Amino acid sequence: MMDAAELRLNRAAFEQWLQGEGGDNRAELDRLKRALPVVLAECVTETQRQYILNYFVDRMTQKQIGERYGKNPATVSRTIHRGLDRMYRYLRFVSPAFIQAPNRRSYLKNR
């Protein structure tokens, strides 16, 4: 078992490593934020755009979206994921950060 001093050293080493690895990606995020409206307007269908906005902006569940549009929640889920896939493929060419990102977006979850 680690004592308190050893734990503090490990945490300090970890924090130092994070700072060295992380860097400031604010400019990259700003560029992606500016590209997002264009991506939503140009890369996805109207239905995909509506479902994505309802899901992420309005924080609706897939069931609520399905009830609003008279669709099965599974259909809503597939439509959202197809739209996100299209957006992701486009953003991979806009941003170097997306080139290194994993192909699966499983980390994108409605919080």
Side-chain angles (χ1 to χ4, degrees):
M1 186 166 174
M2 285 193 227
D3 66 352
E6 189 177 0
L7 187 59
R8 280 193 299 272
L9 283 174
N10 284 342
R11 180 166 175 80
F14 179 70
E15 293 293 330
Q16 186 176 10
W17 175 81
L18 276 179
Q19 287 176 354
E21 290 292 315
D24 187 11
N25 62 350
R26 194 167 305 147
E28 184 67 24
L29 288 175
D30 288 342
R31 189 163 62 112
L32 288 172
K33 285 178 187 176
R34 286 192 307 273
L36 196 56
V38 174
V39 174
L40 275 171
E42 300 293 327
C43 295
V44 297
T45 67
E46 181 61 32
T47 303
Q48 289 169 340
R49 181 176 22 265
Q50 286 301 316
Y51 290 3
I52 289 169
L53 289 174
N54 287 152
Y55 188 72
F56 288 104
V57 176
D58 300 333
R59 299 289 205 198
M60 294 174 68
T61 65
Q62 293 171 359
K63 183 178 179 183
Q64 291 169 332
I65 296 168
E67 289 170 355
R68 173 183 274 186
Y69 296 103
K71 301 291 181 185
N72 187 308
T75 302
V76 172
S77 176
R78 281 192 305 273
T79 304
I80 289 171
H81 282 91
R82 286 180 183 144
L84 292 175
D85 284 338
R86 291 175 108 181
M87 292 172 62
Y88 181 78
R89 283 194 304 269
Y90 178 82
L91 288 172
R92 283 179 64 94
F93 293 104
V94 173
S95 169
F98 270 81
I99 292 172
Q100 298 172 357
N103 286 330
R104 302 299 296 161
R105 301 163 337 290
S106 60
Y107 55 87
L108 290 177
K109 299 219 186 284
N110 192 3
R111 293 185 177 136

